Amino acid sequence: MTLAIAVLVFVTVQRLIELLIARSNTAFLLRRGAYEVGRRHYPLLVVLHASWLAALWWFGWRASVNLTLFALFMVMQVLRVWVLATLGRRWTTRIIVLPGAPLVTGGPFRFLRHPNYCVVIAEIALLPLAFGLPWIALLFSILNALVLWIRITAENRALGDNGVSHA
C-alpha cells in the first residue's frame, strides 16, 4: 500500500467514524430538547466533503506525498481532535441548538469562535496540495468558502440564541 492510499484510507475511515459520532450526538441532543438550525444547507456540506474526498481518491491515489504538507495536515488532525474533545457530546456535523446551554468557551474556543471551520479550511487545501493537486485545493477551497459563508451565517444567528453545538 502506498502512502497516498494509506492517507486516503485514514481520512475516509476518520470521516465515517465522525459521521457516526455526529449522528449519535445529534440524537442525544435532540432527545434533550435541542433543535436543528440551517437544515436546508446541510446537503451542500455533505456533497462538498464527499466530492472533495472522491476527487482525492480519483486523482491522488497514485500521487507521491509531500511530507511537509502532510505533516501540516496531521497537525490539523490534532486540532480537530481537540475541538471534538472540547465539545464532547455537543459536537455534531449539524447546527444543533440546546436551549439554555452555555456556549463552549474552553479549549480552542478560547481563541476562536469557530475553530473547527479553521481546521476544515486548512484540511481542504493541505491534503490536495500534499498530493500535488493544487487545482483540487483551489476548487474545493472556493466551494468551501461559499458553503461556510452560508453555514457560519446560520450558526452565528443560532449562537445569538445561546447554546449551540458547534460543528
Side-chain angles (χ1 to χ4, degrees):
M1 180 182 307
T2 66
L3 179 56
I5 291 174
V7 168
L8 290 168
V9 167
F10 167 77
V11 173
T12 302
V13 170
Q14 176 193 45
R15 296 310 199 261
L16 291 172
I17 290 169
E18 286 178 1
L19 286 174
L20 293 173
I21 292 168
R23 180 177 290 160
S24 172
N25 288 348
T26 297
F28 172 82
L29 291 165
L30 293 174
R31 283 193 305 271
R32 279 153 185 76
Y35 60 91
E36 184 174 357
V37 174
R39 181 178 295 155
R40 287 182 44 205
H41 76 261
Y42 186 73
L44 289 173
L45 194 71
V46 171
V47 168
L48 173 77
H49 286 268
S51 298
W52 174 77
L53 194 52
L56 290 174
W57 272 103
W58 186 263
F59 296 105
W61 69 276
R62 291 185 303 179
S64 57
V65 179
N66 178 307
L67 296 179
T68 302
L69 293 171
F70 176 64
L72 289 172
F73 176 81
M74 292 309 292
V75 168
M76 293 302 110
Q77 302 321 292
V78 172
L79 295 175
R80 172 186 282 280
V81 169
W82 188 24
V83 169
L84 272 62
T86 299
L87 289 170
R89 293 300 304 247
R90 291 177 66 184
W91 179 80
T92 178
T93 56
R94 297 177 179 270
I95 302 171
I96 305 295
V97 177
L98 185 59
L103 294 177
V104 175
T105 57
F109 294 90
R110 288 179 293 186
F111 311 107
L112 295 168
R113 187 165 179 154
H114 300 288
N116 197 51
Y117 299 141
C118 294
V119 169
V120 170
I121 289 165
E123 288 175 333
I124 283 181
L126 283 170
L127 196 53
L129 291 173
F131 289 155
L133 301 167
W135 61 275
I136 289 179
L138 178 62
L139 173 65
F140 282 94
S141 291
I142 291 168
L143 294 172
N144 186 51
L146 295 171
V147 172
L148 282 182
W149 179 77
I150 295 166
R151 181 161 179 96
I152 290 172
T153 299
E155 188 164 331
N156 282 340
R157 267 191 245 118
L159 284 168
D161 293 337
N162 201 2
V164 171
S165 173
H166 303 268

